[in-house]
Each structure stands twice: as C-alpha cells, then as structure tokens.
Amino acid sequence: MQHRISAGVIVEHDGRLLLVRHVKPGAYDFWVAPGGGVKGTESLEEAAAREAREETGLEVHVGRLLYVEEFFNPECRHVKFWFAARFMGGQLNWSHPDAVAEHITQAAWHELDALSGLTVFPSFLTTRYASDRAAGFQQPVRLALREMTFW
C-alpha cells in the first residue's frame, strides 16, 4: 500500500465556503474543499495554497491547521492536513491542467446551510465544521480513519 501526504484549505468568504466539483460520468459527482498531494520539498502550507490556485484560480493566505484527516482505499493510505485560509484575490477558474486531469468541472462559493443537498467531502464540512468554528478551534481536530467512497 502506498502512502500520500496531502494538504487542503477551508476558505470562507462573505459567509460562503469555497468548493470544487469533481465529476467523472458513471463514477462520481461530488464537491470538496480544494487540496491535494504535497510535491517535493514544499511545506504543507505551500502545497495547500498551490492546490487552491490550481483547482480554483484563486490566491489564498494559508492560516492555522484545523483538521488532520486520515482515509484509505485499497491502493493508498492518505493523511490530509486541512488549514483555514483567507481569500486574497483572483477569479474562479478550474482550467489548470492538473484540475482538468482530476475531473474538476466547477469551482464555486456555497452557503454553509446549502451543503446538505450536495455530496460533500470531507464530511466534517457538513457535520461538525460550523460547531468547531463556533467553539474557536482550540486545537487541531484529529478525525477518525475512514474508507474512501470514491477514488
């Protein structure tokens, strides 16, 4: 089994959350916060900012660590570090070759209370993020290991 280190961002702006849509016809259709694998010697924060830029076209300032997520499929075990990030500028654009290769078909801002009608990953965005945010994220939250639904 391979292992992969990833980093992502949770970007809230004007009460909305930044998500990208992955669609592979006949296989999956879901929304996820921007993020992906760490490359070479880049830091987790650098990887998170790069992934946001590649997947959404937006520049973000990466802040503090909020969640550590572990998940797996039959080929790979992942550890993903989720950071708070602040929108700094840019226009939504998901045409970067890496975004296209990952079947990203859209990037959009979503109201938190509208997420319940969508398939959203990581699941904490719909189950606990609002309460964790309200509590002030006293420390990073380590989530339980889960099996991936799509890969």
Side-chain angles (χ1 to χ4, degrees), residues 103-147:
H103 306 282
I104 294 175
T105 62
Q106 189 177 358
W109 295 98
H110 291 270
E111 301 285 336
L112 278 174
D113 58 1
L115 298 181
S116 61
L118 304 172
T119 302
V120 176
F121 296 105
S123 61
F124 66 74
L125 290 174
T126 58
T127 60
R128 65 178 292 164
Y129 172 70
S131 61
D132 288 339
R133 183 189 63 201
F137 286 101
Q138 299 303 311
Q139 61 186 14
V141 177
R142 184 167 178 217
L143 302 164
L145 176 66
R146 70 171 174 85
E147 185 171 6

mmCIF file of all heavy atoms in Angstrom, residues 103-147:
data_model
loop_
_atom_site.group_PDB
_atom_site.id
_atom_site.type_symbol
_atom_site.label_atom_id
_atom_site.label_comp_id
_atom_site.label_asym_id
_atom_site.label_seq_id
_atom_site.Cartn_x
_atom_site.Cartn_y
_atom_site.Cartn_z
ATOM 1 N N HIS A 103 -10.656 15.735 -13.041
ATOM 2 C CA HIS A 103 -12.096 15.789 -13.351
ATOM 3 C C HIS A 103 -12.814 16.892 -12.578
ATOM 4 O O HIS A 103 -13.974 16.735 -12.203
ATOM 5 C CB HIS A 103 -12.763 14.428 -13.103
ATOM 6 C CG HIS A 103 -12.099 13.304 -13.822
ATOM 7 N ND1 HIS A 103 -12.298 13.073 -15.172
ATOM 8 C CD2 HIS A 103 -11.224 12.371 -13.404
ATOM 9 C CE1 HIS A 103 -11.574 12.037 -15.546
ATOM 10 N NE2 HIS A 103 -10.906 11.591 -14.492
ATOM 11 N N ILE A 104 -12.116 18.003 -12.341
ATOM 12 C CA ILE A 104 -12.763 19.157 -11.717
ATOM 13 C C ILE A 104 -13.503 19.909 -12.812
ATOM 14 O O ILE A 104 -12.923 20.311 -13.813
ATOM 15 C CB ILE A 104 -11.737 20.054 -10.991
ATOM 16 C CG1 ILE A 104 -11.144 19.290 -9.800
ATOM 17 C CG2 ILE A 104 -12.392 21.366 -10.537
ATOM 18 C CD1 ILE A 104 -10.036 20.015 -9.079
ATOM 19 N N THR A 105 -14.807 20.070 -12.596
ATOM 20 C CA THR A 105 -15.655 20.699 -13.608
ATOM 21 C C THR A 105 -16.214 22.050 -13.177
ATOM 22 O O THR A 105 -16.865 22.720 -13.979
ATOM 23 C CB THR A 105 -16.839 19.783 -13.965
ATOM 24 O OG1 THR A 105 -17.629 19.575 -12.792
ATOM 25 C CG2 THR A 105 -16.354 18.446 -14.506
ATOM 26 N N GLN A 106 -15.955 22.418 -11.918
ATOM 27 C CA GLN A 106 -16.514 23.672 -11.423
ATOM 28 C C GLN A 106 -15.840 24.030 -10.105
ATOM 29 O O GLN A 106 -15.425 23.160 -9.345
ATOM 30 C CB GLN A 106 -18.025 23.495 -11.204
ATOM 31 C CG GLN A 106 -18.786 24.730 -10.901
ATOM 32 C CD GLN A 106 -20.288 24.445 -10.777
ATOM 33 O OE1 GLN A 106 -20.740 23.323 -10.954
ATOM 34 N NE2 GLN A 106 -21.051 25.468 -10.472
ATOM 35 N N ALA A 107 -15.752 25.321 -9.838
ATOM 36 C CA ALA A 107 -15.363 25.840 -8.532
ATOM 37 C C ALA A 107 -16.400 26.903 -8.187
ATOM 38 O O ALA A 107 -16.807 27.677 -9.058
ATOM 39 C CB ALA A 107 -13.964 26.442 -8.570
ATOM 40 N N ALA A 108 -16.855 26.906 -6.927
ATOM 41 C CA ALA A 108 -17.923 27.834 -6.562
ATOM 42 C C ALA A 108 -17.916 28.093 -5.063
ATOM 43 O O ALA A 108 -17.369 27.315 -4.286
ATOM 44 C CB ALA A 108 -19.279 27.251 -6.980
ATOM 45 N N TRP A 109 -18.559 29.205 -4.704
ATOM 46 C CA TRP A 109 -18.775 29.557 -3.303
ATOM 47 C C TRP A 109 -20.149 29.042 -2.908
ATOM 48 O O TRP A 109 -21.121 29.264 -3.633
ATOM 49 C CB TRP A 109 -18.720 31.064 -3.123
ATOM 50 C CG TRP A 109 -17.380 31.654 -3.419
ATOM 51 C CD1 TRP A 109 -16.975 32.256 -4.589
ATOM 52 C CD2 TRP A 109 -16.254 31.692 -2.536
ATOM 53 N NE1 TRP A 109 -15.672 32.667 -4.473
ATOM 54 C CE2 TRP A 109 -15.210 32.336 -3.228
ATOM 55 C CE3 TRP A 109 -16.026 31.253 -1.238
ATOM 56 C CZ2 TRP A 109 -13.959 32.552 -2.657
ATOM 57 C CZ3 TRP A 109 -14.786 31.459 -0.663
ATOM 58 C CH2 TRP A 109 -13.770 32.113 -1.367
ATOM 59 N N HIS A 110 -20.237 28.367 -1.757
ATOM 60 C CA HIS A 110 -21.502 27.781 -1.293
ATOM 61 C C HIS A 110 -21.841 28.255 0.109
ATOM 62 O O HIS A 110 -20.974 28.298 0.987
ATOM 63 C CB HIS A 110 -21.394 26.247 -1.238
ATOM 64 C CG HIS A 110 -21.299 25.604 -2.572
ATOM 65 N ND1 HIS A 110 -22.390 25.202 -3.289
ATOM 66 C CD2 HIS A 110 -20.220 25.279 -3.324
ATOM 67 C CE1 HIS A 110 -22.000 24.661 -4.429
ATOM 68 N NE2 HIS A 110 -20.683 24.706 -4.469
ATOM 69 N N GLU A 111 -23.114 28.573 0.321
ATOM 70 C CA GLU A 111 -23.601 28.861 1.669
ATOM 71 C C GLU A 111 -23.497 27.583 2.489
ATOM 72 O O GLU A 111 -23.803 26.496 1.991
ATOM 73 C CB GLU A 111 -25.066 29.314 1.618
ATOM 74 C CG GLU A 111 -25.316 30.560 0.783
ATOM 75 C CD GLU A 111 -24.851 31.822 1.478
ATOM 76 O OE1 GLU A 111 -24.769 31.829 2.724
ATOM 77 O OE2 GLU A 111 -24.573 32.805 0.777
ATOM 78 N N LEU A 112 -23.051 27.698 3.733
ATOM 79 C CA LEU A 112 -22.911 26.516 4.590
ATOM 80 C C LEU A 112 -24.220 25.752 4.751
ATOM 81 O O LEU A 112 -24.235 24.524 4.722
ATOM 82 C CB LEU A 112 -22.382 26.905 5.963
ATOM 83 C CG LEU A 112 -20.878 27.098 6.079
ATOM 84 C CD1 LEU A 112 -20.517 27.613 7.460
ATOM 85 C CD2 LEU A 112 -20.144 25.810 5.800
ATOM 86 N N ASP A 113 -25.315 26.474 4.905
ATOM 87 C CA ASP A 113 -26.582 25.777 5.122
ATOM 88 C C ASP A 113 -27.137 25.150 3.846
ATOM 89 O O ASP A 113 -28.130 24.430 3.888
ATOM 90 C CB ASP A 113 -27.613 26.703 5.772
ATOM 91 C CG ASP A 113 -27.903 27.952 4.952
ATOM 92 O OD1 ASP A 113 -27.331 28.126 3.856
ATOM 93 O OD2 ASP A 113 -28.701 28.782 5.431
ATOM 94 N N ALA A 114 -26.510 25.368 2.697
ATOM 95 C CA ALA A 114 -26.962 24.760 1.437
ATOM 96 C C ALA A 114 -26.177 23.495 1.091
ATOM 97 O O ALA A 114 -26.455 22.861 0.078
ATOM 98 C CB ALA A 114 -26.839 25.777 0.299
ATOM 99 N N LEU A 115 -25.214 23.110 1.924
ATOM 100 C CA LEU A 115 -24.383 21.947 1.618
ATOM 101 C C LEU A 115 -25.112 20.626 1.799
ATOM 102 O O LEU A 115 -24.725 19.620 1.207
ATOM 103 C CB LEU A 115 -23.118 21.942 2.478
ATOM 104 C CG LEU A 115 -22.167 23.116 2.292
ATOM 105 C CD1 LEU A 115 -20.955 22.943 3.203
ATOM 106 C CD2 LEU A 115 -21.752 23.263 0.847
ATOM 107 N N SER A 116 -26.166 20.602 2.592
ATOM 108 C CA SER A 116 -26.844 19.343 2.910
ATOM 109 C C SER A 116 -27.429 18.657 1.678
ATOM 110 O O SER A 116 -27.592 17.447 1.681
ATOM 111 C CB SER A 116 -27.930 19.563 3.963
ATOM 112 O OG SER A 116 -28.904 20.454 3.476
ATOM 113 N N GLY A 117 -27.722 19.393 0.627
ATOM 114 C CA GLY A 117 -28.274 18.796 -0.587
ATOM 115 C C GLY A 117 -27.219 18.289 -1.553
ATOM 116 O O GLY A 117 -27.545 17.775 -2.617
ATOM 117 N N LEU A 118 -25.928 18.418 -1.182
ATOM 118 C CA LEU A 118 -24.827 18.023 -2.058
ATOM 119 C C LEU A 118 -24.043 16.869 -1.439
ATOM 120 O O LEU A 118 -24.063 16.676 -0.229
ATOM 121 C CB LEU A 118 -23.873 19.202 -2.263
ATOM 122 C CG LEU A 118 -24.448 20.506 -2.796
ATOM 123 C CD1 LEU A 118 -23.394 21.606 -2.737
ATOM 124 C CD2 LEU A 118 -24.971 20.324 -4.210
ATOM 125 N N THR A 119 -23.321 16.135 -2.278
ATOM 126 C CA THR A 119 -22.341 15.173 -1.779
ATOM 127 C C THR A 119 -21.065 15.960 -1.567
ATOM 128 O O THR A 119 -20.475 16.461 -2.525
ATOM 129 C CB THR A 119 -22.110 14.028 -2.786
ATOM 130 O OG1 THR A 119 -23.362 13.391 -3.037
ATOM 131 C CG2 THR A 119 -21.113 13.020 -2.257
ATOM 132 N N VAL A 120 -20.648 16.094 -0.288
ATOM 133 C CA VAL A 120 -19.530 16.969 0.076
ATOM 134 C C VAL A 120 -18.488 16.179 0.866
ATOM 135 O O VAL A 120 -18.822 15.420 1.775
ATOM 136 C CB VAL A 120 -20.015 18.163 0.924
ATOM 137 C CG1 VAL A 120 -18.849 19.024 1.379
ATOM 138 C CG2 VAL A 120 -21.025 18.994 0.144
ATOM 139 N N PHE A 121 -17.227 16.378 0.492
ATOM 140 C CA PHE A 121 -16.096 15.836 1.235
ATOM 141 C C PHE A 121 -15.171 16.982 1.590
ATOM 142 O O PHE A 121 -15.083 17.940 0.829
ATOM 143 C CB PHE A 121 -15.343 14.790 0.404
ATOM 144 C CG PHE A 121 -16.166 13.579 0.095
ATOM 145 C CD1 PHE A 121 -16.687 13.383 -1.166
ATOM 146 C CD2 PHE A 121 -16.435 12.649 1.083
ATOM 147 C CE1 PHE A 121 -17.449 12.281 -1.453
ATOM 148 C CE2 PHE A 121 -17.197 11.533 0.807
ATOM 149 C CZ PHE A 121 -17.708 11.343 -0.470
ATOM 150 N N PRO A 122 -14.477 16.906 2.664
ATOM 151 C CA PRO A 122 -14.620 15.934 3.732
ATOM 152 C C PRO A 122 -15.944 16.123 4.453
ATOM 153 O O PRO A 122 -16.485 17.234 4.522
ATOM 154 C CB PRO A 122 -13.431 16.188 4.640
ATOM 155 C CG PRO A 122 -13.031 17.598 4.356
ATOM 156 C CD PRO A 122 -13.421 17.884 2.942
ATOM 157 N N SER A 123 -16.454 15.044 4.995
ATOM 158 C CA SER A 123 -17.792 15.062 5.595
ATOM 159 C C SER A 123 -17.896 16.022 6.773
ATOM 160 O O SER A 123 -18.990 16.491 7.088
ATOM 161 C CB SER A 123 -18.201 13.652 6.015
ATOM 162 O OG SER A 123 -17.302 13.150 6.980
ATOM 163 N N PHE A 124 -16.775 16.341 7.429
ATOM 164 C CA PHE A 124 -16.859 17.260 8.565
ATOM 165 C C PHE A 124 -17.386 18.627 8.164
ATOM 166 O O PHE A 124 -17.885 19.377 9.004
ATOM 167 C CB PHE A 124 -15.530 17.377 9.322
ATOM 168 C CG PHE A 124 -14.400 17.999 8.557
ATOM 169 C CD1 PHE A 124 -14.346 19.351 8.306
ATOM 170 C CD2 PHE A 124 -13.358 17.202 8.099
ATOM 171 C CE1 PHE A 124 -13.286 19.924 7.608
ATOM 172 C CE2 PHE A 124 -12.292 17.757 7.407
ATOM 173 C CZ PHE A 124 -12.260 19.120 7.160
ATOM 174 N N LEU A 125 -17.314 18.976 6.880
ATOM 175 C CA LEU A 125 -17.830 20.272 6.446
ATOM 176 C C LEU A 125 -19.338 20.368 6.663
ATOM 177 O O LEU A 125 -19.856 21.455 6.899
ATOM 178 C CB LEU A 125 -17.485 20.534 4.983
ATOM 179 C CG LEU A 125 -16.008 20.782 4.705
ATOM 180 C CD1 LEU A 125 -15.744 20.887 3.216
ATOM 181 C CD2 LEU A 125 -15.505 22.020 5.432
ATOM 182 N N THR A 126 -20.030 19.240 6.586
ATOM 183 C CA THR A 126 -21.485 19.246 6.782
ATOM 184 C C THR A 126 -21.897 18.765 8.167
ATOM 185 O O THR A 126 -23.033 18.974 8.569
ATOM 186 C CB THR A 126 -22.191 18.388 5.723
ATOM 187 O OG1 THR A 126 -21.685 17.058 5.779
ATOM 188 C CG2 THR A 126 -21.996 18.958 4.327
ATOM 189 N N THR A 127 -20.988 18.119 8.901
ATOM 190 C CA THR A 127 -21.385 17.552 10.185
ATOM 191 C C THR A 127 -20.904 18.337 11.400
ATOM 192 O O THR A 127 -21.618 18.433 12.387
ATOM 193 C CB THR A 127 -20.882 16.100 10.332
ATOM 194 O OG1 THR A 127 -19.452 16.084 10.236
ATOM 195 C CG2 THR A 127 -21.488 15.206 9.257
ATOM 196 N N ARG A 128 -19.684 18.875 11.360
ATOM 197 C CA ARG A 128 -19.153 19.478 12.586
ATOM 198 C C ARG A 128 -18.423 20.793 12.385
ATOM 199 O O ARG A 128 -18.105 21.464 13.363
ATOM 200 C CB ARG A 128 -18.261 18.481 13.307
ATOM 201 C CG ARG A 128 -16.990 18.104 12.550
ATOM 202 C CD ARG A 128 -16.104 17.160 13.324
ATOM 203 N NE ARG A 128 -15.550 17.830 14.487
ATOM 204 C CZ ARG A 128 -15.003 17.194 15.509
ATOM 205 N NH1 ARG A 128 -14.928 15.902 15.519
ATOM 206 N NH2 ARG A 128 -14.536 17.876 16.541
ATOM 207 N N TYR A 129 -18.136 21.168 11.159
ATOM 208 C CA TYR A 129 -17.335 22.363 10.928
ATOM 209 C C TYR A 129 -17.939 23.607 11.589
ATOM 210 O O TYR A 129 -17.235 24.368 12.264
ATOM 211 C CB TYR A 129 -17.124 22.595 9.427
ATOM 212 C CG TYR A 129 -16.470 23.913 9.127
ATOM 213 C CD1 TYR A 129 -15.133 24.129 9.453
ATOM 214 C CD2 TYR A 129 -17.187 24.958 8.552
ATOM 215 C CE1 TYR A 129 -14.525 25.355 9.204
ATOM 216 C CE2 TYR A 129 -16.588 26.178 8.298
ATOM 217 C CZ TYR A 129 -15.264 26.369 8.627
ATOM 218 O OH TYR A 129 -14.667 27.580 8.387
ATOM 219 N N ALA A 130 -19.243 23.831 11.424
ATOM 220 C CA ALA A 130 -19.876 25.036 11.985
ATOM 221 C C ALA A 130 -19.732 25.073 13.504
ATOM 222 O O ALA A 130 -19.417 26.123 14.070
ATOM 223 C CB ALA A 130 -21.338 25.104 11.577
ATOM 224 N N SER A 131 -19.916 23.940 14.164
ATOM 225 C CA SER A 131 -19.792 23.931 15.625
ATOM 226 C C SER A 131 -18.325 24.057 16.051
ATOM 227 O O SER A 131 -18.029 24.714 17.051
ATOM 228 C CB SER A 131 -20.440 22.691 16.230
ATOM 229 O OG SER A 131 -19.825 21.519 15.763
ATOM 230 N N ASP A 132 -17.416 23.437 15.318
ATOM 231 C CA ASP A 132 -15.989 23.592 15.631
ATOM 232 C C ASP A 132 -15.560 25.046 15.476
ATOM 233 O O ASP A 132 -14.815 25.580 16.295
ATOM 234 C CB ASP A 132 -15.126 22.695 14.726
ATOM 235 C CG ASP A 132 -15.240 21.225 15.059
ATOM 236 O OD1 ASP A 132 -15.648 20.876 16.185
ATOM 237 O OD2 ASP A 132 -14.917 20.409 14.173
ATOM 238 N N ARG A 133 -16.030 25.686 14.420
ATOM 239 C CA ARG A 133 -15.706 27.098 14.179
ATOM 240 C C ARG A 133 -16.279 27.968 15.297
ATOM 241 O O ARG A 133 -15.611 28.853 15.822
ATOM 242 C CB ARG A 133 -16.244 27.542 12.821
ATOM 243 C CG ARG A 133 -15.865 28.978 12.475
ATOM 244 C CD ARG A 133 -16.564 29.460 11.250
ATOM 245 N NE ARG A 133 -17.984 29.458 11.522
ATOM 246 C CZ ARG A 133 -18.938 29.440 10.612
ATOM 247 N NH1 ARG A 133 -18.621 29.434 9.341
ATOM 248 N NH2 ARG A 133 -20.198 29.435 10.941
ATOM 249 N N ALA A 134 -17.531 27.691 15.684
ATOM 250 C CA ALA A 134 -18.161 28.468 16.754
ATOM 251 C C ALA A 134 -17.412 28.311 18.074
ATOM 252 O O ALA A 134 -17.344 29.248 18.870
ATOM 253 C CB ALA A 134 -19.620 28.048 16.914
ATOM 254 N N ALA A 135 -16.819 27.130 18.291
ATOM 255 C CA ALA A 135 -16.053 26.874 19.517
ATOM 256 C C ALA A 135 -14.643 27.452 19.448
ATOM 257 O O ALA A 135 -13.911 27.429 20.438
ATOM 258 C CB ALA A 135 -15.992 25.373 19.787
ATOM 259 N N GLY A 136 -14.240 27.952 18.282
ATOM 260 C CA GLY A 136 -12.960 28.630 18.149
ATOM 261 C C GLY A 136 -11.755 27.756 17.842
ATOM 262 O O GLY A 136 -10.631 28.228 17.921
ATOM 263 N N PHE A 137 -11.975 26.492 17.497
ATOM 264 C CA PHE A 137 -10.853 25.600 17.158
ATOM 265 C C PHE A 137 -9.713 25.751 18.168
ATOM 266 O O PHE A 137 -8.644 26.250 17.853
ATOM 267 C CB PHE A 137 -10.322 25.870 15.742
ATOM 268 C CG PHE A 137 -11.205 25.367 14.654
ATOM 269 C CD1 PHE A 137 -12.033 26.233 13.961
ATOM 270 C CD2 PHE A 137 -11.212 24.037 14.307
ATOM 271 C CE1 PHE A 137 -12.856 25.781 12.948
ATOM 272 C CE2 PHE A 137 -12.026 23.564 13.298
ATOM 273 C CZ PHE A 137 -12.853 24.436 12.607
ATOM 274 N N GLN A 138 -9.959 25.317 19.376
ATOM 275 C CA GLN A 138 -8.952 25.440 20.427
ATOM 276 C C GLN A 138 -7.655 24.715 20.082
ATOM 277 O O GLN A 138 -6.579 25.122 20.504
ATOM 278 C CB GLN A 138 -9.511 24.927 21.750
ATOM 279 C CG GLN A 138 -10.726 25.706 22.225
ATOM 280 C CD GLN A 138 -10.450 27.190 22.381
ATOM 281 O OE1 GLN A 138 -9.464 27.582 22.990
ATOM 282 N NE2 GLN A 138 -11.302 28.026 21.806
ATOM 283 N N GLN A 139 -7.778 23.642 19.310
ATOM 284 C CA GLN A 139 -6.614 22.886 18.830
ATOM 285 C C GLN A 139 -7.044 22.153 17.565
ATOM 286 O O GLN A 139 -8.225 22.006 17.307
ATOM 287 C CB GLN A 139 -6.123 21.907 19.884
ATOM 288 C CG GLN A 139 -7.140 20.860 20.270
ATOM 289 C CD GLN A 139 -6.634 20.012 21.431
ATOM 290 O OE1 GLN A 139 -5.674 20.359 22.087
ATOM 291 N NE2 GLN A 139 -7.280 18.903 21.660
ATOM 292 N N PRO A 140 -6.082 21.692 16.754
ATOM 293 C CA PRO A 140 -6.469 20.932 15.562
ATOM 294 C C PRO A 140 -7.258 19.679 15.943
ATOM 295 O O PRO A 140 -6.989 19.046 16.966
ATOM 296 C CB PRO A 140 -5.125 20.562 14.929
ATOM 297 C CG PRO A 140 -4.169 21.584 15.439
ATOM 298 C CD PRO A 140 -4.636 21.906 16.829
ATOM 299 N N VAL A 141 -8.228 19.353 15.127
ATOM 300 C CA VAL A 141 -9.079 18.189 15.361
ATOM 301 C C VAL A 141 -8.546 17.028 14.536
ATOM 302 O O VAL A 141 -8.381 17.147 13.318
ATOM 303 C CB VAL A 141 -10.541 18.481 14.944
ATOM 304 C CG1 VAL A 141 -11.413 17.250 15.107
ATOM 305 C CG2 VAL A 141 -11.096 19.663 15.741
ATOM 306 N N ARG A 142 -8.258 15.923 15.206
ATOM 307 C CA ARG A 142 -7.818 14.714 14.505
ATOM 308 C C ARG A 142 -9.042 13.833 14.305
ATOM 309 O O ARG A 142 -9.681 13.412 15.272
ATOM 310 C CB ARG A 142 -6.752 13.979 15.297
ATOM 311 C CG ARG A 142 -6.233 12.789 14.532
ATOM 312 C CD ARG A 142 -4.981 12.231 15.141
ATOM 313 N NE ARG A 142 -4.581 11.066 14.378
ATOM 314 C CZ ARG A 142 -4.055 9.995 14.912
ATOM 315 N NH1 ARG A 142 -3.830 9.942 16.208
ATOM 316 N NH2 ARG A 142 -3.734 8.986 14.160
ATOM 317 N N LEU A 143 -9.348 13.566 13.043
ATOM 318 C CA LEU A 143 -10.539 12.801 12.693
ATOM 319 C C LEU A 143 -10.220 11.309 12.606
ATOM 320 O O LEU A 143 -9.084 10.918 12.336
ATOM 321 C CB LEU A 143 -11.083 13.300 11.348
ATOM 322 C CG LEU A 143 -11.432 14.795 11.342
ATOM 323 C CD1 LEU A 143 -11.582 15.297 9.927
ATOM 324 C CD2 LEU A 143 -12.692 15.048 12.155
ATOM 325 N N ALA A 144 -11.234 10.493 12.787
ATOM 326 C CA ALA A 144 -11.069 9.042 12.728
ATOM 327 C C ALA A 144 -10.763 8.586 11.304
ATOM 328 O O ALA A 144 -11.203 9.201 10.323
ATOM 329 C CB ALA A 144 -12.342 8.359 13.223
ATOM 330 N N LEU A 145 -10.006 7.513 11.204
ATOM 331 C CA LEU A 145 -9.699 6.893 9.916
ATOM 332 C C LEU A 145 -10.997 6.468 9.239
ATOM 333 O O LEU A 145 -11.891 5.915 9.875
ATOM 334 C CB LEU A 145 -8.796 5.672 10.140
ATOM 335 C CG LEU A 145 -8.436 4.842 8.906
ATOM 336 C CD1 LEU A 145 -7.566 5.647 7.958
ATOM 337 C CD2 LEU A 145 -7.717 3.569 9.346
ATOM 338 N N ARG A 146 -11.103 6.760 7.929
ATOM 339 C CA ARG A 146 -12.294 6.359 7.180
ATOM 340 C C ARG A 146 -11.898 5.753 5.846
ATOM 341 O O ARG A 146 -10.826 6.039 5.309
ATOM 342 C CB ARG A 146 -13.246 7.538 6.971
ATOM 343 C CG ARG A 146 -12.706 8.571 5.998
ATOM 344 C CD ARG A 146 -13.754 9.613 5.630
ATOM 345 N NE ARG A 146 -13.206 10.670 4.818
ATOM 346 C CZ ARG A 146 -13.077 10.618 3.505
ATOM 347 N NH1 ARG A 146 -13.450 9.565 2.823
ATOM 348 N NH2 ARG A 146 -12.562 11.649 2.838
ATOM 349 N N GLU A 147 -12.773 4.938 5.315
ATOM 350 C CA GLU A 147 -12.567 4.358 3.986
ATOM 351 C C GLU A 147 -13.100 5.322 2.944
ATOM 352 O O GLU A 147 -14.185 5.901 3.108
ATOM 353 C CB GLU A 147 -13.280 3.009 3.878
ATOM 354 C CG GLU A 147 -13.017 2.298 2.577
ATOM 355 C CD GLU A 147 -13.549 0.881 2.552
ATOM 356 O OE1 GLU A 147 -14.229 0.467 3.519
ATOM 357 O OE2 GLU A 147 -13.290 0.168 1.557
#
